[in-house]
Amino acid sequence: MNVLLSAYACNPTKGGENGIGYHWTQEWLRHGHEVWCFTRPDERADIEAYLAKHSTPENRDRLHFVYVAVPSWVDYLYRWQFGVYLHYMVWQYQAWRAARKLEATVGFDLIHHATYGSLQMASWLWRVGKPLVIGPLGGGQQTPRSFQSYIPDWFKSETMRNTISRVLMASDRNVRQSIRHAALVLTTNNETAEKVQALGARRVELFLDSGLPESFLPAQFPVREPAAQLRLLWLGRLIHRKALPLVLDALAKVAARVPYHLTIVGDGPVGAELSEMLRQRGLTERVTWRGSLPWAEVREVFLTHDVFMFASLRDSFASQFLEAMGAGLPIITLNHQGARDFIPTDAAIKVPVTTPDETVTALARAVEYCYDHPERRVAMGQAGYAFARTQIWPARSQRIMQLIEEAVPQLAVLKNT
C-alpha cells in the first residue's frame, strides 16, 4: 500500500513531535507499506545522516522523503510567534500542491496527517481525495481560569491562544473540511474529542500522541531500594503553563515529619526565577535542579526516584507521564486533560482541579500518602508499568491499523500486514 505521511515535525535525532513524526515513518514501513513522508527541508541533514547509519537498504528503498519548502520571507517571519502559525499554514498549502502532483504518478491508498498534532491547523490534504487519518490531535484543552495567577503572561500565552484557536476553527475552511472528510480522527484528550465531534467528524478515537521504544522499558518491573527520603521527580520544560510553582507550593505545605527531596530536570525561561522561588518557599535545601539531561541519563533518573510529580495546567497529555510509567514510577498529578483520560486510575493520585488553595493542599496530602504507604507506591508503579507496555510503538501501530481497517473497510490489505 502507498501511504502519504504528513509530518511537518520529523527528526529522528530529536524528541517531542519531531520524534513522533519519525516513529510513524518506521511503523508504516514495519507493516510492509511504501511511505512518502512530507516534512521540512530543515530536517534533511539529520534525517539523511540517521538513515545512512541506522536504516536497512530495503527500508531506505521504501521510504521517500519529500522536503516541502516555503518562500524565504515565510522562513524569515518564523522567528516571531505569529510567524510560526503562518509558516505552518503556508507549509500545509505547499504540501497539498506537492501531494496533488505526486498523486498523479504514485496513486496513494491512504494519507496520514501526523504532525503537527494541532486541531487548530488540521490539514490541507483532504483535498487530495484519498482516505485520510488525522492525528493524534490535541489543542482542545485550556488552562483553568482559576489558576491564572500561575501564568504571568496570561494574555499572551492563554487569551491570545484561545482567541486564535476559536477564530481558526470558526473561519478556516480547511479545519472544518479536513475533520469532516477524515475517515478517522485520533485525539489525545476528551476536550479535543468534543471539539472534533462538534466540527462534524465521522469517527473519533482517543489515542495517545506519544509512545515508547521497547528498549526504554526495563525487561521486568524495577524494584527500588528503600531510601531515607521520598525521592520526588519533576521533569519538563521550565515554562509557565507547566506550573512548576504549583508543585513547589504543594511541597511547602507537606507535613514537617515527611522527609522528601525533589529533583527538577529540564530547562527554560522559568529557570531564571527558580532560585528565588525556592528561597521564598523555604525549599532551597530540599530541591536540586539538574537542568537538561541527555536521553540516556533521563531514563536513569526515572529509575532512581520514587514518585513522579507533575501538574501541568495545559497539556494534551505529556510524554513524560508515559516515560515515568515505563520506569515503574507512581504519579501525582492533576485530574484533567490527557492525564485524566489516559493514566490508569490505579497508577496515580489525580488531584481535583478546583481552586489553587484546594489543589495545592490536595497535592501536599498526596505526597504524604506516598511516603506513608510504600506498598501503594509499588502497586501504582506496577499498574503504570503494565499500561506503558501497551504503548510501545509496535503495539500502538497495530492498534491504529485495526482502527483504520474498521474505518476504511476497503483497505483490508492492512489486515494481512
PDB file of all heavy atoms in Angstrom, residues 205-234:
ATOM      1  N   GLU A 205     -11.508   8.704  17.912  1.00  0.00           N
ATOM      2  CA  GLU A 205     -10.983   7.748  18.889  1.00  0.00           C
ATOM      3  C   GLU A 205      -9.914   8.430  19.734  1.00  0.00           C
ATOM      4  O   GLU A 205      -9.088   9.187  19.218  1.00  0.00           O
ATOM      5  CB  GLU A 205     -10.354   6.535  18.190  1.00  0.00           C
ATOM      6  CG  GLU A 205     -11.323   5.694  17.376  1.00  0.00           C
ATOM      7  CD  GLU A 205     -12.180   4.785  18.222  1.00  0.00           C
ATOM      8  OE1 GLU A 205     -11.857   4.599  19.423  1.00  0.00           O
ATOM      9  OE2 GLU A 205     -13.169   4.249  17.693  1.00  0.00           O
ATOM     10  N   LEU A 206      -9.940   8.161  21.034  1.00  0.00           N
ATOM     11  CA  LEU A 206      -8.856   8.632  21.898  1.00  0.00           C
ATOM     12  C   LEU A 206      -7.607   7.794  21.621  1.00  0.00           C
ATOM     13  O   LEU A 206      -7.677   6.564  21.534  1.00  0.00           O
ATOM     14  CB  LEU A 206      -9.241   8.509  23.367  1.00  0.00           C
ATOM     15  CG  LEU A 206     -10.225   9.545  23.919  1.00  0.00           C
ATOM     16  CD1 LEU A 206     -10.569   9.216  25.367  1.00  0.00           C
ATOM     17  CD2 LEU A 206      -9.672  10.952  23.812  1.00  0.00           C
ATOM     18  N   PHE A 207      -6.467   8.485  21.485  1.00  0.00           N
ATOM     19  CA  PHE A 207      -5.232   7.788  21.120  1.00  0.00           C
ATOM     20  C   PHE A 207      -4.068   8.676  21.545  1.00  0.00           C
ATOM     21  O   PHE A 207      -4.010   9.857  21.182  1.00  0.00           O
ATOM     22  CB  PHE A 207      -5.206   7.576  19.600  1.00  0.00           C
ATOM     23  CG  PHE A 207      -4.234   6.535  19.121  1.00  0.00           C
ATOM     24  CD1 PHE A 207      -4.635   5.231  18.916  1.00  0.00           C
ATOM     25  CD2 PHE A 207      -2.913   6.870  18.855  1.00  0.00           C
ATOM     26  CE1 PHE A 207      -3.751   4.260  18.453  1.00  0.00           C
ATOM     27  CE2 PHE A 207      -2.013   5.918  18.397  1.00  0.00           C
ATOM     28  CZ  PHE A 207      -2.434   4.613  18.196  1.00  0.00           C
ATOM     29  N   LEU A 208      -3.144   8.123  22.309  1.00  0.00           N
ATOM     30  CA  LEU A 208      -2.010   8.916  22.771  1.00  0.00           C
ATOM     31  C   LEU A 208      -1.155   9.385  21.602  1.00  0.00           C
ATOM     32  O   LEU A 208      -0.959   8.658  20.622  1.00  0.00           O
ATOM     33  CB  LEU A 208      -1.134   8.091  23.715  1.00  0.00           C
ATOM     34  CG  LEU A 208      -1.540   8.049  25.181  1.00  0.00           C
ATOM     35  CD1 LEU A 208      -0.558   7.194  25.961  1.00  0.00           C
ATOM     36  CD2 LEU A 208      -1.592   9.445  25.772  1.00  0.00           C
ATOM     37  N   ASP A 209      -0.615  10.604  21.711  1.00  0.00           N
ATOM     38  CA  ASP A 209       0.274  11.092  20.657  1.00  0.00           C
ATOM     39  C   ASP A 209       1.697  10.557  20.837  1.00  0.00           C
ATOM     40  O   ASP A 209       2.466  10.507  19.885  1.00  0.00           O
ATOM     41  CB  ASP A 209       0.288  12.617  20.601  1.00  0.00           C
ATOM     42  CG  ASP A 209       0.648  13.273  21.927  1.00  0.00           C
ATOM     43  OD1 ASP A 209       0.786  12.561  22.935  1.00  0.00           O
ATOM     44  OD2 ASP A 209       0.771  14.512  21.952  1.00  0.00           O
ATOM     45  N   SER A 210       2.053  10.176  22.035  1.00  0.00           N
ATOM     46  CA  SER A 210       3.418   9.724  22.311  1.00  0.00           C
ATOM     47  C   SER A 210       3.448   8.215  22.538  1.00  0.00           C
ATOM     48  O   SER A 210       2.451   7.601  22.906  1.00  0.00           O
ATOM     49  CB  SER A 210       3.986  10.447  23.540  1.00  0.00           C
ATOM     50  OG  SER A 210       3.073  10.384  24.614  1.00  0.00           O
ATOM     51  N   GLY A 211       4.630   7.633  22.292  1.00  0.00           N
ATOM     52  CA  GLY A 211       4.826   6.216  22.529  1.00  0.00           C
ATOM     53  C   GLY A 211       6.227   5.980  23.063  1.00  0.00           C
ATOM     54  O   GLY A 211       7.026   6.916  23.185  1.00  0.00           O
ATOM     55  N   LEU A 212       6.536   4.746  23.366  1.00  0.00           N
ATOM     56  CA  LEU A 212       7.846   4.401  23.911  1.00  0.00           C
ATOM     57  C   LEU A 212       8.541   3.372  23.023  1.00  0.00           C
ATOM     58  O   LEU A 212       7.903   2.413  22.578  1.00  0.00           O
ATOM     59  CB  LEU A 212       7.715   3.811  25.318  1.00  0.00           C
ATOM     60  CG  LEU A 212       7.253   4.734  26.436  1.00  0.00           C
ATOM     61  CD1 LEU A 212       7.019   3.923  27.706  1.00  0.00           C
ATOM     62  CD2 LEU A 212       8.269   5.838  26.687  1.00  0.00           C
ATOM     63  N   PRO A 213       9.826   3.548  22.779  1.00  0.00           N
ATOM     64  CA  PRO A 213      10.573   2.443  22.161  1.00  0.00           C
ATOM     65  C   PRO A 213      10.661   1.301  23.172  1.00  0.00           C
ATOM     66  O   PRO A 213      10.792   1.537  24.376  1.00  0.00           O
ATOM     67  CB  PRO A 213      11.948   3.055  21.884  1.00  0.00           C
ATOM     68  CG  PRO A 213      12.057   4.225  22.794  1.00  0.00           C
ATOM     69  CD  PRO A 213      10.671   4.726  23.036  1.00  0.00           C
ATOM     70  N   GLU A 214      10.571   0.093  22.685  1.00  0.00           N
ATOM     71  CA  GLU A 214      10.576  -1.061  23.600  1.00  0.00           C
ATOM     72  C   GLU A 214      11.849  -1.094  24.439  1.00  0.00           C
ATOM     73  O   GLU A 214      11.847  -1.550  25.581  1.00  0.00           O
ATOM     74  CB  GLU A 214      10.416  -2.348  22.806  1.00  0.00           C
ATOM     75  CG  GLU A 214      10.078  -3.539  23.669  1.00  0.00           C
ATOM     76  CD  GLU A 214       9.542  -4.705  22.863  1.00  0.00           C
ATOM     77  OE1 GLU A 214       9.595  -4.635  21.623  1.00  0.00           O
ATOM     78  OE2 GLU A 214       9.066  -5.672  23.474  1.00  0.00           O
ATOM     79  N   SER A 215      12.940  -0.584  23.896  1.00  0.00           N
ATOM     80  CA  SER A 215      14.220  -0.602  24.607  1.00  0.00           C
ATOM     81  C   SER A 215      14.217   0.294  25.838  1.00  0.00           C
ATOM     82  O   SER A 215      15.070   0.153  26.721  1.00  0.00           O
ATOM     83  CB  SER A 215      15.343  -0.162  23.670  1.00  0.00           C
ATOM     84  OG  SER A 215      15.096   1.158  23.186  1.00  0.00           O
ATOM     85  N   PHE A 216      13.241   1.232  25.920  1.00  0.00           N
ATOM     86  CA  PHE A 216      13.197   2.134  27.069  1.00  0.00           C
ATOM     87  C   PHE A 216      12.737   1.405  28.328  1.00  0.00           C
ATOM     88  O   PHE A 216      13.152   1.737  29.437  1.00  0.00           O
ATOM     89  CB  PHE A 216      12.258   3.313  26.779  1.00  0.00           C
ATOM     90  CG  PHE A 216      12.170   4.316  27.906  1.00  0.00           C
ATOM     91  CD1 PHE A 216      13.081   5.355  28.000  1.00  0.00           C
ATOM     92  CD2 PHE A 216      11.186   4.223  28.881  1.00  0.00           C
ATOM     93  CE1 PHE A 216      13.012   6.281  29.033  1.00  0.00           C
ATOM     94  CE2 PHE A 216      11.113   5.135  29.919  1.00  0.00           C
ATOM     95  CZ  PHE A 216      12.031   6.170  29.999  1.00  0.00           C
ATOM     96  N   LEU A 217      11.865   0.427  28.173  1.00  0.00           N
ATOM     97  CA  LEU A 217      11.283  -0.242  29.328  1.00  0.00           C
ATOM     98  C   LEU A 217      12.222  -1.306  29.884  1.00  0.00           C
ATOM     99  O   LEU A 217      12.779  -2.108  29.125  1.00  0.00           O
ATOM    100  CB  LEU A 217       9.959  -0.913  28.965  1.00  0.00           C
ATOM    101  CG  LEU A 217       8.720  -0.022  28.950  1.00  0.00           C
ATOM    102  CD1 LEU A 217       8.694   0.859  27.722  1.00  0.00           C
ATOM    103  CD2 LEU A 217       7.453  -0.865  29.015  1.00  0.00           C
ATOM    104  N   PRO A 218      12.412  -1.337  31.192  1.00  0.00           N
ATOM    105  CA  PRO A 218      13.136  -2.464  31.796  1.00  0.00           C
ATOM    106  C   PRO A 218      12.412  -3.769  31.470  1.00  0.00           C
ATOM    107  O   PRO A 218      11.185  -3.787  31.329  1.00  0.00           O
ATOM    108  CB  PRO A 218      13.078  -2.159  33.299  1.00  0.00           C
ATOM    109  CG  PRO A 218      12.751  -0.699  33.399  1.00  0.00           C
ATOM    110  CD  PRO A 218      11.928  -0.370  32.197  1.00  0.00           C
ATOM    111  N   ALA A 219      13.155  -4.855  31.353  1.00  0.00           N
ATOM    112  CA  ALA A 219      12.550  -6.138  31.000  1.00  0.00           C
ATOM    113  C   ALA A 219      11.533  -6.590  32.039  1.00  0.00           C
ATOM    114  O   ALA A 219      10.547  -7.252  31.713  1.00  0.00           O
ATOM    115  CB  ALA A 219      13.636  -7.195  30.834  1.00  0.00           C
ATOM    116  N   GLN A 220      11.764  -6.211  33.295  1.00  0.00           N
ATOM    117  CA  GLN A 220      10.833  -6.520  34.379  1.00  0.00           C
ATOM    118  C   GLN A 220      10.590  -5.264  35.200  1.00  0.00           C
ATOM    119  O   GLN A 220      11.374  -4.310  35.152  1.00  0.00           O
ATOM    120  CB  GLN A 220      11.402  -7.623  35.272  1.00  0.00           C
ATOM    121  CG  GLN A 220      11.590  -8.957  34.554  1.00  0.00           C
ATOM    122  CD  GLN A 220      12.158 -10.013  35.479  1.00  0.00           C
ATOM    123  OE1 GLN A 220      12.873  -9.708  36.429  1.00  0.00           O
ATOM    124  NE2 GLN A 220      11.830 -11.276  35.217  1.00  0.00           N
ATOM    125  N   PHE A 221       9.506  -5.285  35.951  1.00  0.00           N
ATOM    126  CA  PHE A 221       9.192  -4.128  36.793  1.00  0.00           C
ATOM    127  C   PHE A 221      10.374  -3.820  37.726  1.00  0.00           C
ATOM    128  O   PHE A 221      10.834  -4.709  38.457  1.00  0.00           O
ATOM    129  CB  PHE A 221       7.939  -4.406  37.619  1.00  0.00           C
ATOM    130  CG  PHE A 221       7.614  -3.308  38.600  1.00  0.00           C
ATOM    131  CD1 PHE A 221       7.077  -2.113  38.162  1.00  0.00           C
ATOM    132  CD2 PHE A 221       7.865  -3.469  39.959  1.00  0.00           C
ATOM    133  CE1 PHE A 221       6.786  -1.094  39.053  1.00  0.00           C
ATOM    134  CE2 PHE A 221       7.579  -2.456  40.860  1.00  0.00           C
ATOM    135  CZ  PHE A 221       7.040  -1.261  40.403  1.00  0.00           C
ATOM    136  N   PRO A 222      10.875  -2.599  37.699  1.00  0.00           N
ATOM    137  CA  PRO A 222      12.048  -2.257  38.515  1.00  0.00           C
ATOM    138  C   PRO A 222      11.703  -2.100  39.995  1.00  0.00           C
ATOM    139  O   PRO A 222      10.814  -1.335  40.356  1.00  0.00           O
ATOM    140  CB  PRO A 222      12.522  -0.927  37.911  1.00  0.00           C
ATOM    141  CG  PRO A 222      11.304  -0.333  37.285  1.00  0.00           C
ATOM    142  CD  PRO A 222      10.447  -1.473  36.834  1.00  0.00           C
ATOM    143  N   VAL A 223      12.404  -2.831  40.830  1.00  0.00           N
ATOM    144  CA  VAL A 223      12.210  -2.739  42.285  1.00  0.00           C
ATOM    145  C   VAL A 223      13.200  -1.724  42.845  1.00  0.00           C
ATOM    146  O   VAL A 223      14.407  -1.815  42.598  1.00  0.00           O
ATOM    147  CB  VAL A 223      12.423  -4.111  42.955  1.00  0.00           C
ATOM    148  CG1 VAL A 223      12.278  -3.990  44.467  1.00  0.00           C
ATOM    149  CG2 VAL A 223      11.433  -5.131  42.390  1.00  0.00           C
ATOM    150  N   ARG A 224      12.703  -0.747  43.577  1.00  0.00           N
ATOM    151  CA  ARG A 224      13.544   0.313  44.114  1.00  0.00           C
ATOM    152  C   ARG A 224      13.937   0.012  45.559  1.00  0.00           C
ATOM    153  O   ARG A 224      13.100  -0.409  46.366  1.00  0.00           O
ATOM    154  CB  ARG A 224      12.816   1.663  44.042  1.00  0.00           C
ATOM    155  CG  ARG A 224      12.687   2.160  42.609  1.00  0.00           C
ATOM    156  CD  ARG A 224      11.695   3.299  42.470  1.00  0.00           C
ATOM    157  NE  ARG A 224      11.802   3.883  41.144  1.00  0.00           N
ATOM    158  CZ  ARG A 224      11.246   3.388  40.051  1.00  0.00           C
ATOM    159  NH1 ARG A 224      10.528   2.274  40.135  1.00  0.00           N
ATOM    160  NH2 ARG A 224      11.404   3.985  38.884  1.00  0.00           N
ATOM    161  N   GLU A 225      15.196   0.268  45.845  1.00  0.00           N
ATOM    162  CA  GLU A 225      15.658   0.096  47.212  1.00  0.00           C
ATOM    163  C   GLU A 225      15.089   1.210  48.094  1.00  0.00           C
ATOM    164  O   GLU A 225      14.991   2.364  47.659  1.00  0.00           O
ATOM    165  CB  GLU A 225      17.189   0.149  47.263  1.00  0.00           C
ATOM    166  CG  GLU A 225      17.871  -1.008  46.551  1.00  0.00           C
ATOM    167  CD  GLU A 225      17.554  -2.348  47.190  1.00  0.00           C
ATOM    168  OE1 GLU A 225      17.442  -2.392  48.438  1.00  0.00           O
ATOM    169  OE2 GLU A 225      17.415  -3.336  46.455  1.00  0.00           O
ATOM    170  N   PRO A 226      14.695   0.882  49.342  1.00  0.00           N
ATOM    171  CA  PRO A 226      14.184   1.920  50.254  1.00  0.00           C
ATOM    172  C   PRO A 226      15.236   3.007  50.482  1.00  0.00           C
ATOM    173  O   PRO A 226      16.435   2.742  50.510  1.00  0.00           O
ATOM    174  CB  PRO A 226      13.898   1.149  51.549  1.00  0.00           C
ATOM    175  CG  PRO A 226      13.773  -0.280  51.128  1.00  0.00           C
ATOM    176  CD  PRO A 226      14.685  -0.452  49.950  1.00  0.00           C
ATOM    177  N   ALA A 227      14.760   4.252  50.597  1.00  0.00           N
ATOM    178  CA  ALA A 227      15.653   5.391  50.828  1.00  0.00           C
ATOM    179  C   ALA A 227      15.177   6.162  52.047  1.00  0.00           C
ATOM    180  O   ALA A 227      14.008   6.083  52.446  1.00  0.00           O
ATOM    181  CB  ALA A 227      15.690   6.301  49.606  1.00  0.00           C
ATOM    182  N   ALA A 228      16.081   6.917  52.659  1.00  0.00           N
ATOM    183  CA  ALA A 228      15.731   7.695  53.853  1.00  0.00           C
ATOM    184  C   ALA A 228      14.726   8.777  53.525  1.00  0.00           C
ATOM    185  O   ALA A 228      13.896   9.158  54.356  1.00  0.00           O
ATOM    186  CB  ALA A 228      17.001   8.305  54.457  1.00  0.00           C
ATOM    187  N   GLN A 229      14.792   9.306  52.310  1.00  0.00           N
ATOM    188  CA  GLN A 229      13.873  10.359  51.880  1.00  0.00           C
ATOM    189  C   GLN A 229      12.967   9.841  50.768  1.00  0.00           C
ATOM    190  O   GLN A 229      13.311   8.898  50.054  1.00  0.00           O
ATOM    191  CB  GLN A 229      14.657  11.557  51.337  1.00  0.00           C
ATOM    192  CG  GLN A 229      15.498  12.298  52.363  1.00  0.00           C
ATOM    193  CD  GLN A 229      16.260  13.436  51.701  1.00  0.00           C
ATOM    194  OE1 GLN A 229      16.867  13.260  50.650  1.00  0.00           O
ATOM    195  NE2 GLN A 229      16.212  14.604  52.316  1.00  0.00           N
ATOM    196  N   LEU A 230      11.789  10.464  50.628  1.00  0.00           N
ATOM    197  CA  LEU A 230      10.930  10.212  49.484  1.00  0.00           C
ATOM    198  C   LEU A 230      11.505  10.999  48.314  1.00  0.00           C
ATOM    199  O   LEU A 230      11.552  12.232  48.334  1.00  0.00           O
ATOM    200  CB  LEU A 230       9.497  10.657  49.782  1.00  0.00           C
ATOM    201  CG  LEU A 230       8.470  10.387  48.679  1.00  0.00           C
ATOM    202  CD1 LEU A 230       8.260   8.882  48.491  1.00  0.00           C
ATOM    203  CD2 LEU A 230       7.144  11.083  48.983  1.00  0.00           C
ATOM    204  N   ARG A 231      11.943  10.297  47.294  1.00  0.00           N
ATOM    205  CA  ARG A 231      12.637  10.930  46.169  1.00  0.00           C
ATOM    206  C   ARG A 231      11.626  11.271  45.078  1.00  0.00           C
ATOM    207  O   ARG A 231      11.144  10.409  44.354  1.00  0.00           O
ATOM    208  CB  ARG A 231      13.723  10.004  45.640  1.00  0.00           C
ATOM    209  CG  ARG A 231      14.803   9.671  46.674  1.00  0.00           C
ATOM    210  CD  ARG A 231      15.675   8.504  46.241  1.00  0.00           C
ATOM    211  NE  ARG A 231      14.909   7.271  46.136  1.00  0.00           N
ATOM    212  CZ  ARG A 231      15.435   6.080  45.854  1.00  0.00           C
ATOM    213  NH1 ARG A 231      16.738   5.972  45.641  1.00  0.00           N
ATOM    214  NH2 ARG A 231      14.680   5.004  45.773  1.00  0.00           N
ATOM    215  N   LEU A 232      11.315  12.564  44.982  1.00  0.00           N
ATOM    216  CA  LEU A 232      10.342  13.064  44.020  1.00  0.00           C
ATOM    217  C   LEU A 232      11.052  13.567  42.771  1.00  0.00           C
ATOM    218  O   LEU A 232      12.154  14.120  42.841  1.00  0.00           O
ATOM    219  CB  LEU A 232       9.526  14.207  44.623  1.00  0.00           C
ATOM    220  CG  LEU A 232       8.788  13.907  45.929  1.00  0.00           C
ATOM    221  CD1 LEU A 232       8.259  15.196  46.545  1.00  0.00           C
ATOM    222  CD2 LEU A 232       7.642  12.935  45.680  1.00  0.00           C
ATOM    223  N   LEU A 233      10.391  13.424  41.624  1.00  0.00           N
ATOM    224  CA  LEU A 233      10.961  13.882  40.359  1.00  0.00           C
ATOM    225  C   LEU A 233       9.954  14.745  39.616  1.00  0.00           C
ATOM    226  O   LEU A 233       8.776  14.376  39.488  1.00  0.00           O
ATOM    227  CB  LEU A 233      11.352  12.679  39.486  1.00  0.00           C
ATOM    228  CG  LEU A 233      11.850  12.987  38.067  1.00  0.00           C
ATOM    229  CD1 LEU A 233      13.159  13.768  38.105  1.00  0.00           C
ATOM    230  CD2 LEU A 233      12.018  11.693  37.264  1.00  0.00           C
ATOM    231  N   TRP A 234      10.417  15.893  39.118  1.00  0.00           N
ATOM    232  CA  TRP A 234       9.650  16.742  38.190  1.00  0.00           C
ATOM    233  C   TRP A 234      10.500  16.891  36.939  1.00  0.00           C
ATOM    234  O   TRP A 234      11.681  17.249  37.018  1.00  0.00           O
ATOM    235  CB  TRP A 234       9.398  18.113  38.825  1.00  0.00           C
ATOM    236  CG  TRP A 234       8.470  19.024  38.050  1.00  0.00           C
ATOM    237  CD1 TRP A 234       7.155  19.242  38.305  1.00  0.00           C
ATOM    238  CD2 TRP A 234       8.797  19.855  36.915  1.00  0.00           C
ATOM    239  NE1 TRP A 234       6.630  20.140  37.406  1.00  0.00           N
ATOM    240  CE2 TRP A 234       7.618  20.534  36.536  1.00  0.00           C
ATOM    241  CE3 TRP A 234       9.956  20.086  36.179  1.00  0.00           C
ATOM    242  CZ2 TRP A 234       7.569  21.431  35.458  1.00  0.00           C
ATOM    243  CZ3 TRP A 234       9.923  20.959  35.101  1.00  0.00           C
ATOM    244  CH2 TRP A 234       8.742  21.621  34.753  1.00  0.00           C
TER     245      TRP A 234
END
